[in-house]
Amino acid sequence: MNNQELAQVFANIGDLLEIKGEVIYKILAYRRAAETLREYGRDVRAVWQEGKLREIPSVGAAIAEKIDELLRTGRLEFYEKLKAEIPPGLIEILAVPDLGPKKAAMFWKQRNITSLAALAAAARAGQLRELPGMGEKSEAKILAGIELLARRASGRRPLGQVWTLAQEILVFLRGLPGVQQAEAAGSLRRHRSTIGDLDFLAAADDAGPIMEAFCQHPSVARVLGHGPTKSSVEFVNGLQADLRVLPKARFGTLLQYFTGSKDHNVKLRERALRQGLSLSEYALTRESGAEILCAAEEEVYRRLGLEYIPPELREDRGEIEAAAKGTLPKLIELGDLRSDLHAHSTWSDGRLSLLEMARGAQARGLRCLAITDHSQSLGVTGGLTPERLRAQRAEIDQAQRALGRGFTLLQGSEVEIRGDGRLDYDDDVLASLDVVVASAHSTLRQPREQITARLIRAIESPHVDIIGHPTGRLFPDREGADLDMEAVLRAAAQAGVALEINANPARLDLDDGYAYRALELGCLLAINTDAHHTADFDLAHFGVGIARRAWARPEQVISTWPPERLRQWLAGRGQGGSAPAVMTDATKAARPVKKAPAKKAPKMASKQARKPASKKPTRTAAKRRPGTRPGRRQSQ
Ligand code: DGT
Ligand code: CA
Ligand code: CA
Ligand code: ZN
């Protein structure tokens, strides 16, 4: 069994236990294990052989035992028993958006429904409306959900779910004799948040043996096509992949072609033609038929008179025009990140103490971390009461002393934005925090106008610094809230509130389209991992990928700022008293509009230079030693 298959077993166990009505912490333990395994960078089997399963984050004794049994015997007694008890078909029912385990259990017990097909049939026949809490409307919703699911199943996967496998295959290809170079191309290389299929490229003189080895890789379930320089396979997890092999002298054009996007390539080929060159995966060819071989991708762009265009920009959103003029932005890089302003500790649903989290962040080169545990209304996560929040402050101060001057630990909160847009703490509690991340986790299915107004109300709170995972989407089966994003982004720009790119690959929220528009409107962004464990800090690169796709320059992302500047920014916020009682023109403009624009991100056509958000006049923070709290608290 590979990592993905192991992960699937634990995800299924979590679902089955939930239908069974098991206590939540057990369910969460399995889900966490599943998530970890799905994104784990090493082959779990190898770790198992070294006897080091317990070193994998989120893997405790109980999970380690089960992994051991699965790898030794290929099955798991506990799982088999569970499947005998609860029809496994119910798992697919849980995948229907907004359909929880209670309903699934009810359909099973009262209507004997044990599969998605049976559920669809019952909903169509009107056999569910009489059940408690159900009606005609909920039947229609279920049918719509099943349709959505079908569309999705045929479609794309979250980047985070395919990342590990892609890296494994790359390592495998690079290790084959005769392979001089290998890369993953396509949407993965462009860091799209979802992936249709994987595309691998290798440079070698003799393609045959490489094709052969690829098709026999243990993760390959079926070979779909097998030619002299191209093969297509399907992996055990259903994901498809193409491999192409050409000699090293042609690797630049090969990589350029299969990195795409298709629209980018079409534009590039037109440009080449205007210069009397035809561009293919094999070469640039002159009208005379003479080939110009490019071993490196940079060479392809150079020959066409262009600056090198980073893969994340290759979506035909004006990047070719900018490259021709030499005006491509200097994009943010992983190494630019200096802070993470959204992380959890054992004070709520995190796995490690806040000092351990801080040390983990420090070990990864960060200079600042905010501990933002959940607020009180989020009971399942152990959200903090104001009293506990005060107690946490003492521990943070102590941890700061242990960490010393080189690292800044902030006390924040991930404050729940309640159903009506009020925040989950009183103003004085919010004012005592160094940083406030406001997020909505519950009732995300409110009608568009309501949920848009709710978010804008939170944005307009003078205490809020960052909006966490703004749309609330969760891969694979929760769509984001039905927000008027244009209104939300405008409000954020106006209020100077930063918008999070949540780097967890299950979220990637904001996605690139909205993030691009946010920058265009002058918003600030923050790249946060929402870490519940130090291993989660390693997910930051997913967030950086999205920011790069949004054309983000480092200074537009507050996470790149030195801690001193960040503190100054934070200290200058949250002192404006209550939100304006009278709507200014600007806040009016930010209100949701009746004639709502399309929900999709606007096509990113205009390429005008974007300025970072105009900074609000900041009250200079009182001089402080590093490690003490910024002025906001003292100013109260
Ligand atoms: P995906 O797989 O849907 O996530 O997206 P991509 O971009 O990986 O698309 P894919 O796998 O169909 O093809 C990989 C790249 O190959 C694509 O980005 C550009 C190039 N390509 C594929 N088909 C065509 C085509 O018909 N014309 C051109 N110019 N390029 C193509
Ligand atoms: Ca692809
Ligand atoms: Ca492909
Ligand atoms: Zn969080």
Side-chain angles (χ1 to χ4, degrees):
M1 293 182 98
N2 64 23
N3 294 10
Q4 303 301 322
E5 294 167 294
L6 287 168
Q8 197 55 53
V9 171
F10 290 112
N12 289 352
I13 289 177
D15 288 348
L16 290 171
L17 288 177
E18 196 171 6
I19 295 169
K20 197 177 160 186
E22 187 55 86
V23 289
I24 189 76
Y25 78 88
K26 281 202 186 162
I27 299 167
L28 289 177
Y30 286 107
R31 296 221 166 118
R32 225 174 272 128
E35 242 171 73
T36 306
L37 295 176
R38 197 157 272 153
E39 283 143 26
Y40 195 58
R42 288 191 58 200
D43 184 8
V44 175
R45 179 175 286 275
V47 179
W48 170 68
Q49 279 160 347
E50 294 164 15
K52 290 185 176 161
L53 282 179
R54 294 290 300 276
E55 286 177 19
I56 303 176
S58 320
V59 171
I63 303 277
E65 245 172 58
K66 292 188 171 69
I67 295 177
D68 176 66
E69 187 181 334
L70 280 164
L71 289 176
R72 251 185 318 107
T73 68
R75 44 181 273 137
L76 178 63
E77 202 46 43
F78 175 75
Y79 182 40
E80 298 302 323
K81 276 199 188 132
L82 208 52
K83 282 195 287 189
E85 211 177 323
I86 299 154
L90 292 178
I91 292 174
E92 50 181 48
I93 289 181
L94 281 188
V96 178
D98 303 315
L99 211 162
K102 283 215 181 79
K103 287 241 167 74
M106 175 174 80
F107 297 151
W108 167 38
K109 288 178 183 152
Q110 303 208 17
R111 291 287 184 272
N112 200 25
I113 290 168
T114 59
S115 71
L116 205 55
L119 179 67
R124 242 177 256 120
Q127 292 165 355
L128 303 177
R129 59 186 64 167
E130 314 280 80
L131 289 170
M134 296 288 298
E136 270 181 61
K137 251 195 179 159
S138 28
E139 275 177 347
K141 238 176 140 178
I142 286 179
L143 283 173
I146 292 174
E147 251 172 58
L148 184 80
L149 214 56
R151 275 206 305 279
R152 225 181 261 147
S154 62
R156 315 180 58 81
R157 313 231 178 176
L159 175 62
Q161 219 183 72
V162 307
W163 186 264
T164 307
L165 177 62
Q167 302 310 315
E168 279 170 14
I169 299 291
L170 260 187
V171 168
F172 170 81
L173 288 172
R174 287 175 181 155
L176 292 176
V179 171
Q180 294 155 309
Q181 199 176 345
E183 297 293 342
S187 48
L188 185 102
R189 183 160 183 248
R190 303 198 313 278
H191 283 269
R192 274 195 70 174
S193 55
T194 63
I195 301 295
D197 73 353
L198 296 176
D199 304 276
F200 295 103
L201 308 172
D205 295 328
D206 187 4
I210 293 154
M211 293 292 164
E212 211 56 53
F214 177 66
C215 292
Q216 282 166 20
H217 186 278
S219 290
V220 168
R222 291 195 295 147
V223 176
L224 307 171
H226 196 340
T229 65
K230 180 195 156 170
S231 337
S232 297
V233 300
E234 187 180 305
F235 292 115
V236 281
N237 62 6
L239 187 68
Q240 298 189 358
D242 300 327
L243 169 67
R244 278 156 238 253
V245 183
L246 286 181
K248 186 160 171 54
R250 299 182 190 272
F251 196 72
T253 39
L254 180 70
L255 183 56
Q256 195 292 313
Y257 184 91
F258 286 106
T259 296
S261 68
K262 203 172 151 186
D263 292 345
H264 172 88
N265 286 357
V266 167
K267 265 262 170 73
L268 199 65
R269 224 173 17 228
E270 286 168 6
R271 182 181 172 89
L273 283 175
R274 283 197 299 275
Q275 300 176 15
L277 294 166
S278 94
L279 174 62
S280 74
E281 62 262 55
Y282 300 101
L284 277 163
T285 310
R286 295 188 206 278
E287 279 155 1
S288 65
E291 283 187 333
I292 307 167
L293 303 191
C294 302
E297 216 180 24
E298 286 78 0
E299 181 69 8
V300 181
Y301 287 98
R302 203 181 58 75
R303 290 272 181 178
L304 297 173
L306 296 172
E307 262 188 285
Y308 178 71
I309 302 176
E312 295 91 338
L313 297 186
R314 300 183 198 169
E315 300 289 351
D316 188 22
R317 293 165 175 171
E319 70 279 7
I320 294 178
E321 295 80 350
K325 282 188 263 166
T327 58
L328 282 174
K330 195 202 156 298
L331 295 180
I332 183 172
E333 290 170 14
L334 184 61
D336 293 329
L337 295 183
R338 290 191 172 114
S339 71
D340 193 330
L341 298 177
H342 183 171
H344 299 269
S345 73
T346 42
W347 282 85
S348 68
D349 60 352
R351 306 275 291 159
L352 299 174
S353 75
L354 54 86
L355 181 59
E356 287 171 307
M357 292 299 283
R359 293 219 190 276
Q362 193 173 28
R364 286 161 177 83
L366 293 182
R367 291 179 52 201
C368 174
L369 177 72
I371 298 294
T372 55
D373 278 308
H374 291 286
S375 60
Q376 49 194 352
S377 78
L378 232 52
V380 285
T381 64
L384 271 61
T385 60
E387 290 69 39
R388 293 191 66 228
L389 204 56
R390 266 194 295 279
Q392 189 195 42
R393 172 64 83 172
E395 191 177 314
I396 288 197
D397 288 346
Q398 199 183 359
Q400 178 65 75
R401 281 191 293 276
L403 290 159
R405 286 160 165 268
F407 191 85
T408 304
L409 187 61
L410 299 176
Q411 186 186 30
S413 170
E414 182 174 18
V415 182
E416 187 63 12
I417 304 172
R418 295 202 284 206
D420 58 0
R422 273 181 311 144
L423 297 171
D424 204 15
Y425 290 127
D426 290 339
D427 280 353
D428 57 332
V429 177
L430 294 173
S432 75
L433 295 163
D434 301 329
V435 53
V436 173
V437 178
S439 320
H441 293 92
S442 51
T443 44
L444 291 175
R445 296 275 83 88
Q446 289 170 330
R448 186 179 177 93
E449 285 197 20
Q450 196 179 348
I451 193 147
T452 303
R454 173 182 171 194
L455 238 76
I456 290 177
R457 185 166 172 196
I459 287 169
E460 288 174 349
S461 157
H463 298 292
V464 171
D465 304 306
I466 299 171
I467 298 294
H469 43 75
T471 77
R473 78 162 172 191
L474 263 181
F475 287 125
D477 56 14
R478 196 214 280 159
E479 293 220 56
D482 183 15
L483 284 165
D484 177 352
M485 277 309 268
E486 183 69 10
V488 169
L489 300 180
R490 282 181 189 278
Q494 167 72 20
V497 166
L499 295 160
E500 178 176 85
I501 294 178
N502 190 297
N504 188 311
R507 292 199 182 271
L508 296 182
D509 178 17
L510 298 176
D511 208 340
D512 57 343
Y514 292 139
Y516 183 97
R517 180 63 183 150
L519 293 178
E520 213 169 34
L521 290 171
C523 295
L524 291 166
L525 299 176
I527 297 174
N528 295 325
T529 59
D530 200 350
H532 287 66
H533 191 287
T534 49
D536 295 341
F537 291 130
D538 298 329
L539 303 175
H541 70 96
F542 288 116
V544 173
I546 297 297
R548 288 170 64 86
R549 290 179 58 78
W551 293 54
R553 289 177 279 115
E555 62 270 22
Q556 295 172 304
V557 180
I558 63 172
S559 328
T560 69
W561 296 355
E564 306 73 44
R565 176 168 176 205
L566 192 63
R567 275 176 169 287
Q568 224 170 58
W569 179 74
L570 289 167
R573 304 183 45 75
Q575 301 182 339
S578 56
V582 184
M583 278 215 278
T584 60
D585 284 349
T587 49
K588 255 185 238 159
R591 296 279 161 189
V593 278
K594 266 265 163 57
K595 234 192 281 148
K599 190 182 159 196
K600 283 202 64 177
K603 169 118 172 115
M604 301 188 291
S606 67
K607 254 329 78 45
Q608 73 264 41
R610 284 170 279 130
K611 289 176 291 186
S614 57
K615 264 171 269 132
K616 290 202 305 194
T618 58
R619 190 181 295 182
T620 318
K623 266 238 170 79
R624 252 170 287 108
R625 283 174 294 114
T628 60
R629 294 179 286 283
R632 173 139 56 133
R633 188 169 176 231
Q634 280 120 357
S635 75
Q636 283 304 306

